[in-house]
Amino acid sequence: MFNTILFPTDGSPLSDKAAATALAFAQLNKAKLVAISVVQPFPFSPMADGGVVLDAGLYEEQMREAAQHAVDKLGQAAQAAGLAFEGLVAISPSPYEEIVNAAANYHCDIILMASHGRKGLNKLFVGSETQKVLGHTQVPVLVLR
């Protein structure tokens, strides 16, 4: 029934925990697992007279490396489980749009994702990407805790 499964990951402990379930689900269905990790661009533009100027390029590079590490880690687990796997890292200010688009582009039958990856004020300001995915996709979504 499920031939291609999309698993968004942010490398958080909750996402890592959900990855084990996604791998088992893919094995059970003999499905291909597609993993996506979305890097959001640096959220603030540096101020010229500020005391500290952050390097947006360095931030994005480090976030891209962390995202790639999360995808590669899942790819290694999928390979060890004998699963077909494809991983991608995207850069976008809107992770849910990238997730919804990936589900369509890879013809995914289902999206398995953790209930949330962010906590505290960051979640309040950014909002739940899981909720946004639920509201914008026609593909079934299995939310994992």
Side-chain angles (χ1 to χ4, degrees), residues 20 23 28 40 43 57 105 121 128 136 140:
L23 287 163
L28 181 67
Q40 292 179 288
N105 293 340
L121 288 178
S128 168
H136 290 89

Side-chain angles (χ1 to χ4, degrees), residues 54-98:
L54 299 174
D55 184 349
L58 180 60
Y59 167 84
E60 286 184 16
E61 179 184 330
Q62 289 175 343
M63 294 303 292
R64 184 178 305 137
E65 287 173 8
Q68 188 65 56
H69 175 72
V71 169
D72 290 347
K73 185 172 151 183
L74 192 59
Q76 291 168 354
Q79 182 180 17
L83 295 170
F85 178 82
E86 195 160 344
L88 63 141
V89 173
I91 299 174
S92 173
S94 182
Y96 83 90
E97 287 180 347
E98 292 296 327

Side-chain angles (χ1 to χ4, degrees), residues 3-144:
N3 297 315
T4 308
I5 298 165
L6 181 65
F7 182 73
T9 180
D10 62 3
S12 69
L14 184 60
S15 186
D16 286 347
K17 183 178 172 186
T21 302
L23 287 163
F25 191 82
Q27 280 183 301
L28 181 67
N29 288 279
K30 297 177 178 55
K32 176 181 180 179
L33 186 62
V34 177
I36 183 172
S37 188
V38 182
V39 175
Q40 292 179 288
F42 190 72
F44 307 108
S45 54
M47 298 176 67
D49 13 324
V52 177
V53 177
L54 299 174
D55 184 349
L58 180 60
Y59 167 84
E60 286 184 16
E61 179 184 330
Q62 289 175 343
M63 294 303 292
R64 184 178 305 137
E65 287 173 8
Q68 188 65 56
H69 175 72
V71 169
D72 290 347
K73 185 172 151 183
L74 192 59
Q76 291 168 354
Q79 182 180 17
L83 295 170
F85 178 82
E86 195 160 344
L88 63 141
V89 173
I91 299 174
S92 173
S94 182
Y96 83 90
E97 287 180 347
E98 292 296 327
I99 294 166
V100 169
N101 290 338
N105 293 340
Y106 286 88
H107 308 288
C108 296
D109 306 298
I110 191 167
I111 301 170
L112 271 67
M113 63 189 303
S115 58
H116 62 282
R118 294 184 172 84
K119 295 181 180 176
L121 288 178
N122 198 17
K123 182 178 178 186
L124 178 65
F125 291 126
V126 177
S128 168
E129 294 304 318
T130 304
Q131 289 287 31
K132 292 175 188 173
V133 169
L134 285 166
H136 290 89
T137 187
Q138 299 300 314
V139 177
V141 180
L142 178 59
V143 180
L144 305 168

